[in-house]
Amino acid sequence: MNQPVTGAQPARLHDRYPDLGRGPLPVAPYIDPAYWELEKAHVFKKTWLHVGRVEEIPTAGDYFVKDLAACDASIIVVRTRSGAVKAFHNVCSHRLNKVVYEPCGKVRKFFCKFHGWAYDLDGRLTGVPDEAAFEADFDKETHGLTPVSCDVWQGFVFINMDPAPALSLADFMAPMFGGLEGYPFHMFTACYGWSTVVNCNWKMVLDAFQETYHVGYVHGRSIADALEKTDTGSPHPIDGLCGDFHRRLSIAGNPKSVYGNPKAATTGASAAAEALAGSNRPIATAALRLAQGGTKLSFDEVRLPDGLNWTRHPNWAFDINCVFPEFYLSTRPNYFQAYNFRPISHDKTLFEARVYYPEMKTAGGRFYQEYMKVALRDVLLEDLSTLEHTQAAAATGAKDHMVLQDFEIMVRHGAVVVDRLIRAGLEADRARA
Ligand code: FES
Ligand SMILES: [Fe+2]
């Protein structure tokens, strides 16, 4: 189920994945607070979750904090003196204050702001003011920060609230994304991003990024022309894969736009062309011209892994990799996008979007990047424009199902995997009772 399928694509993706079903999709999981509680218990507290990149904490003492509502947790991720990346609950062992209030920083030790307990970078309790006033058997060794499972895949830091995860991070990622290993994620060091809270269920927000059906309409005045359209006028993905957890889509560009020109996408001098997101506005072309040769990275020297452009389609533009449950990683020949749709409640989601480019070496290259920021911001605003209305309409209860077309199979796959894990979790709970 996880392996790329070679040969002819079936007439319908649903024919390849009969286990996913093909009927209407229930609305309740998108609007029901009780279902959200099940997702927290059986999905988010049991699954690897992407929290950041190693470049954010390059040296000993660098840390960042992630508040994860879906896990009822605040997590410190820190670079230790040995160079390891570790994660701890952001909870003091004394009277439970948050050890760190700031979202990121650099420390020699963590000092709790309440009574001054000190923890080293490995989470050990090393200092307790007025320690003699505690009981005689008080043992600092047993009061360190509570560790959280943490591992790194291709520079992406993941945590797992399960102290003994059922799958290692490597085994979790490899079946669908092993072919992406070796992609030069670490070379794209010019990062910018946005975050916002959307009053919408996390699956509803993610779903808007894992189908191209909406592109011709929602993005009709921006990027629609950048994608290859079928003769129905709808941009179909080249192919889609559904695994045990993850899913991915391969997307074709319109060869008549700069975006869809594969030659432009594979040479260093015009690397930026592929990234233009297809805008055909004159300023886009001007920005592109300014960016020519502006990148510090020579893409001609970068060997891209075979898992990129897995369909080998001549007009391939980019891949959408949906890392279960809510990490969207879009890989391109010369930049990548990393989005998280972090649930806050059944109808609230923290959308964190980051885009990673190579450093530019010319003023023209920088201008191009600034242009790209604005262009992508506008496209994301288009994506977000419908979602709060969709959530409000879904919550009216007027419909108890939604209808999906074949190329919305990733929406179905996401819902089916969540449901499978909840059922398995409930079954395991019953067996233990
Ligand atoms: S709560 Fe942290 S030192 Fe008291
Ligand atoms: Fe979109």
Side-chain angles (χ1 to χ4, degrees):
M1 199 167 178
N2 279 327
Q3 299 307 315
V5 178
T6 53
Q9 183 186 325
R12 286 185 175 254
L13 290 172
H14 279 78
D15 293 343
R16 188 191 291 159
Y17 300 111
D19 293 351
L20 297 180
R22 49 207 319 155
L25 202 63
V27 175
Y30 292 81
I31 59 173
D32 181 0
Y35 196 86
W36 157 241
E37 292 301 325
L38 293 172
E39 289 179 335
K40 285 170 67 176
H42 302 294
V43 178
F44 286 94
K45 293 185 181 181
K46 298 281 180 192
T47 306
W48 290 103
L49 299 171
H50 165 246
V51 290
R53 280 200 57 81
V54 291
E55 291 84 2
E56 295 170 57
I57 45 174
T59 57
D62 292 334
Y63 73 87
F64 62 81
V65 174
K66 280 286 168 196
D67 292 329
L68 301 173
C71 302
D72 299 313
S74 174
I75 309 289
I76 304 170
V77 177
V78 63
R79 177 79 70 171
T80 69
R81 298 211 185 283
S82 72
V85 176
K86 291 190 176 177
F88 302 98
H89 283 277
N90 186 12
V91 180
C92 180
S93 305
H94 176 223
R95 277 180 35 219
L96 316 182
N97 186 29
K98 274 190 177 176
V99 176
V100 176
Y101 298 167
E102 300 77 13
C104 60
K106 186 176 189 70
V107 291
R108 215 169 29 81
K109 287 190 176 186
F110 294 107
F111 289 93
C112 178
K113 292 179 176 64
F114 204 165
H115 310 89
W117 282 28
Y119 301 89
D120 72 13
L121 303 180
D122 288 292
R124 283 183 293 255
L125 178 61
T126 58
V128 174
D130 201 14
E131 183 176 344
F134 284 87
E135 291 297 318
D137 62 352
F138 177 80
D139 180 3
K140 288 206 290 291
E141 286 283 312
T142 59
H143 295 295
L145 295 176
T146 304
V148 174
S149 302
C150 180
D151 206 346
V152 175
W153 178 85
Q154 299 298 297
F156 293 101
V157 183
F158 287 72
I159 62 98
N160 192 324
M161 300 301 286
D162 191 337
L167 280 176
S168 70
L169 178 61
D171 289 345
F172 179 62
M173 296 298 288
M176 176 75 67
F177 302 122
L180 271 186
E181 291 172 7
Y183 179 91
F185 291 109
H186 63 290
M187 297 170 93
F188 300 115
T189 48
C191 172
Y192 55 88
W194 305 265
S195 65
T196 188
V197 173
V198 191
N199 293 315
C200 188
N201 182 271
W202 68 276
K203 300 184 295 298
M204 198 82 90
V205 187
L206 169 62
D207 288 350
F209 291 81
Q210 52 184 353
E211 49 90 354
T212 53
Y213 187 28
H214 73 282
V215 172
Y217 209 78
V218 166
H219 304 303
R221 299 178 65 183
S222 56
I223 58 167
D225 285 345
L227 301 191
E228 189 176 66
K229 295 192 191 66
T230 60
D231 45 17
T232 66
S234 195
H236 292 172
I238 303 166
D239 202 355
L241 296 176
C242 297
D244 288 341
F245 296 96
H246 318 295
R247 62 206 82 99
R248 66 192 315 201
L249 288 169
S250 183
I251 308 295
N254 174 2
K256 295 196 181 97
S257 78
V258 285
Y259 182 57
N261 180 346
K263 288 203 177 71
T266 52
T267 63
S270 57
E274 192 276 342
L276 258 175
S279 172
N280 54 10
R281 284 172 285 189
I283 190 169
T285 313
L288 171 62
R289 245 182 246 124
L290 282 169
Q292 298 286 308
T295 175
K296 283 184 182 167
L297 196 60
S298 169
F299 287 93
D300 300 330
E301 292 163 15
V302 175
R303 193 186 167 277
L304 295 168
D306 293 342
L308 193 74
N309 182 14
W310 45 276
T311 54
R312 302 285 177 268
H313 189 281
N315 295 341
W316 174 80
F318 61 92
D319 293 329
I320 293 174
N321 306 292
C322 293
V323 181
F324 184 81
E326 52 80 18
F327 178 32
Y328 164 106
L329 178 61
S330 178
T331 40
R332 323 206 169 204
N334 45 38
Y335 79 106
F336 69 95
Q337 299 167 330
Y339 301 166
N340 280 96
F341 304 97
R342 303 191 193 282
I344 297 172
S345 67
H346 73 286
D347 61 359
K348 237 181 238 318
T349 300
L350 173 63
F351 175 35
E352 291 183 335
R354 288 185 177 179
V355 185
Y356 295 80
Y357 278 105
E359 300 281 341
M360 290 292 186
K361 65 182 180 190
T362 63
R366 286 289 298 119
F367 174 84
Y368 158 79
Q369 273 183 344
E370 292 301 314
Y371 172 79
M372 282 301 300
K373 281 188 203 173
V374 179
L376 180 61
R377 178 204 63 190
D378 289 353
V379 171
L380 292 177
L381 286 172
E382 288 174 346
D383 279 313
L384 298 182
S385 68
T386 59
L387 294 174
E388 294 188 344
H389 300 292
T390 307
Q391 185 70 30
T396 65
K399 306 281 188 189
D400 57 12
H401 285 80
M402 60 182 93
V403 189
L404 302 178
Q405 58 119 289
D406 192 49
F407 294 107
E408 293 174 298
I409 192 169
M410 301 301 156
V411 173
R412 182 187 304 285
H413 179 257
V416 166
V417 175
V418 167
D419 215 62
R420 187 192 82 214
L421 293 179
I422 288 174
R423 284 171 198 278
L426 290 172
E427 189 56 41
D429 286 353
R430 268 193 294 273
R432 269 194 295 273

